[in-house]
Amino acid sequence: LVLAVAELGHLAVELLRRGAAPKACEAAARKLNAGVDTVQHGVEGLMYLLTESSKLMISEMDFQDSIHVLGFSDELNKLLLQLYLDNRKEIRSILGELAPKLPSYHSLEWRLDVQLASRSLRQQIKPAVTIKLHLNENEDLTTQVLQTDPSTLLHLIQQLEQALGEMKTNHCRRIARNMK
Amino acid sequence: MELSAYAQGGCRLLGDPRRLSRRAYAALLRAAFRGVLQPHGGVADPELSDVDPAVLKQCHAAAAACILEAGRQRADRAALSACLEECKLDRERIEQFCTEYQKNREALEELLGSIGRAPPHVTDVSWRLAYRIQTHELHRAYQPTYLLTLSTENSDTGAQPDLSFSCTMEQLQAGGKGRICCATLLVMVFIEVVK
């Protein structure tokens, strides 16, 4: 039984990492001499146990207390605890990816141009900074091309410096410290 | 400075004292500049009520064409005078035109310079610093995040929807700000050189 659970545990973690794998479940079912449905339910149950425990980041003791009600053998309980401890960091990082997300910054390219003339006005000297902003949006990389002028650029930098400075204030440091 | 045949014809009318009196000419000049620089201002002026509407229309169009072409070519006083001389305007009327042109030249060039296609222009950035405590999938997920919103404008279509995205402190420091700083340095050096 312990070996079976170990096998199912492995499948559960793979399910979290890569998603459903029906072939793997079938193979495990054959190996364990059990029905595919049984294996599937077992894997899903273990997955639920692991994700809930990781989500709440419960302590070893709490985990043991929680599974105690299931009435498993000591050996099995130990195995489940080990499974949780070994995988919780990775599971948490996967769960972290699932948060509702805005497009997030990926990278930035820029170019300095000087406009010398246009159809509507000859003989110009108009510096412009063209920016290619790469964002992660729902697992896709999107690109926005934007432009700005030197004085606005300086203004933007000033604003961003203020933003960065904010994290270093006592107020924010105190909150960060107390949260941990 | 080249004008179309229609505009040249209109300019000749502009200079004809039998069609446009001195006062009407001055009023039309003012109206033409106003029409170009403040399009919603309207042309109505009591001084022009006596002028034949067809003549008024052609004169106004010609004056506007002349103004725009002079602005586009960044014409100086001499070039503008030469063009108006060709259309047989008298010395006084040419002087008046050139004076109005000088007065409005900066605004005119600014207007003409803003016409054209370009990527959305960033006008401002607003930011928000948040400390993520928890998500529906993850408890005790402490992390500071910045939410940046870039306000953009497009000369064709006016204001565009803002562009919002999140980034970490490290990204803001290294990526965003760092690169933008390089860009600024280069721009400032360039401006010095050009001066």
Side-chain angles (χ1 to χ4, degrees), chain A residues 55 57 92 102-105 108 112 114 119-123 126 147-149 154-155 157 163 167 179, chain B residues 71-73 112-113 120-122 124 136 139-140 142 146-147 165-166 169 171 179-180 184 187 190:
Chain A
K55 168 172 154 182
M57 195 65 174
R92 278 180 70 78
L102 287 158
S104 65
Y105 175 84
L108 186 135
L112 174 63
V114 179
R119 183 177 166 181
S120 51
L121 188 65
R122 305 269 167 89
Q123 296 172 40
K126 198 167 148 185
Q147 208 173 61
T148 193
D149 57 270
L154 289 171
H155 166 74
I157 296 208
M167 198 57 219
M179 285 295 169
Chain B
R72 191 171 89 106
Q73 300 286 356
L112 291 172
H121 192 101
V122 178
D124 203 357
H136 76 286
H139 291 212
R140 291 198 267 163
Y142 308 126
Y146 283 95
L147 172 63
F165 58 93
S166 66
M169 200 164 93
Q171 282 172 330
R179 278 155 210 246
I180 289 177
T184 326
V187 167
F190 174 80

Side-chain angles (χ1 to χ4, degrees), chain A residues 10-61:
Chain A
H10 174 77
L11 280 173
V13 175
E14 276 309 300
L15 179 64
L16 279 169
R17 274 192 199 127
R18 278 181 251 277
K23 285 220 163 76
C25 278
E26 282 168 18
R30 273 198 303 275
K31 197 166 142 193
L32 299 168
N33 242 339
V36 176
D37 281 343
T38 314
V39 169
Q40 193 109 0
H41 290 145
V43 171
E44 281 166 15
L46 272 174
M47 192 190 84
Y48 180 78
L49 176 67
L50 290 171
T51 47
E52 280 303 296
S53 313
S54 302
K55 168 172 154 182
L56 299 165
M57 195 65 174
I58 60 174
S59 66
E60 274 186 47
M61 190 123 69

Side-chain angles (χ1 to χ4, degrees), chain A residues 51 54-59 91-93 95-96 98-100 102-110 112 114-115 118-131 133 135 144-150 152-157 159-168 172 175-177 179-180, chain B residues 68-69 71-74 108-129 131-133 135-142 144 146-148 150 152 163-177 179-184 186-188 190-191 194:
Chain A
T51 47
S54 302
K55 168 172 154 182
L56 299 165
M57 195 65 174
I58 60 174
S59 66
I91 293 175
R92 278 180 70 78
S93 117
L95 292 176
L98 296 173
L102 287 158
S104 65
Y105 175 84
H106 180 267
S107 58
L108 186 135
E109 299 169 68
W110 62 269
L112 174 63
V114 179
Q115 182 165 305
S118 70
R119 183 177 166 181
S120 51
L121 188 65
R122 305 269 167 89
Q123 296 172 40
Q124 301 175 44
I125 298 180
K126 198 167 148 185
V129 178
T130 307
I131 297 170
L133 183 62
L135 301 175
Q144 293 274 351
V145 178
L146 305 163
Q147 208 173 61
T148 193
D149 57 270
T152 308
L153 191 58
L154 289 171
H155 166 74
L156 294 178
I157 296 208
Q159 292 300 309
L160 295 179
E161 276 175 348
Q162 268 182 24
L164 272 173
E166 199 61 31
M167 198 57 219
K168 300 187 180 127
C172 292
I175 305 250
R177 254 199 320 268
M179 285 295 169
K180 289 203 161 63
Chain B
L68 289 170
E69 190 57 20
R72 191 171 89 106
Q73 300 286 356
R74 293 205 162 205
L108 182 62
E109 284 173 4
E110 201 185 301
L111 174 69
L112 291 172
S114 70
I115 297 171
R117 293 293 169 91
H121 192 101
V122 178
T123 53
D124 203 357
V125 65
S126 59
W127 57 270
R128 199 177 80 192
L129 172 58
Y131 201 75
R132 190 180 70 180
I133 299 168
T135 74
H136 76 286
E137 288 290 352
L138 200 61
H139 291 212
R140 291 198 267 163
Y142 308 126
Y146 283 95
L147 172 63
L148 301 178
L150 296 175
T152 63
L163 181 64
S164 290
F165 58 93
S166 66
C167 72
T168 64
M169 200 164 93
E170 293 73 27
Q171 282 172 330
L172 188 58
Q173 217 145 29
K177 193 190 126 186
R179 278 155 210 246
I180 289 177
C181 274
C182 288
T184 326
L186 209 60
V187 167
M188 287 167 73
F190 174 80
I191 290 176
V194 163

Side-chain angles (χ1 to χ4, degrees), chain A residues 37-87:
Chain A
D37 281 343
T38 314
V39 169
Q40 193 109 0
H41 290 145
V43 171
E44 281 166 15
L46 272 174
M47 192 190 84
Y48 180 78
L49 176 67
L50 290 171
T51 47
E52 280 303 296
S53 313
S54 302
K55 168 172 154 182
L56 299 165
M57 195 65 174
I58 60 174
S59 66
E60 274 186 47
M61 190 123 69
D62 284 338
F63 184 88
Q64 280 171 329
D65 286 342
S66 305
I67 61 174
H68 187 71
V69 293
L70 299 166
F72 292 151
S73 67
D74 277 342
E75 201 187 344
L76 195 50
N77 286 343
K78 244 164 104 174
L79 172 73
L80 288 172
L81 177 65
Q82 205 52 49
L83 197 61
Y84 166 58
L85 292 174
D86 286 343
N87 292 292

Side-chain angles (χ1 to χ4, degrees), chain B residues 48-100:
Chain B
L48 300 169
S49 51
D50 291 335
V51 186
D52 176 66
V55 170
L56 188 62
K57 185 174 165 196
Q58 194 175 2
C59 287
H60 187 264
C66 196
I67 293 166
L68 289 170
E69 190 57 20
R72 191 171 89 106
Q73 300 286 356
R74 293 205 162 205
D76 57 13
R77 210 180 174 96
L80 182 57
S81 296
C83 177
L84 294 171
E85 258 170 44
E86 266 179 40
C87 299
K88 312 281 188 260
L89 268 80
D90 63 47
R91 202 66 252 159
E92 194 190 335
R93 293 195 181 202
I94 294 179
E95 275 307 305
Q96 275 182 293
F97 203 119
C98 289
T99 308
E100 273 306 303

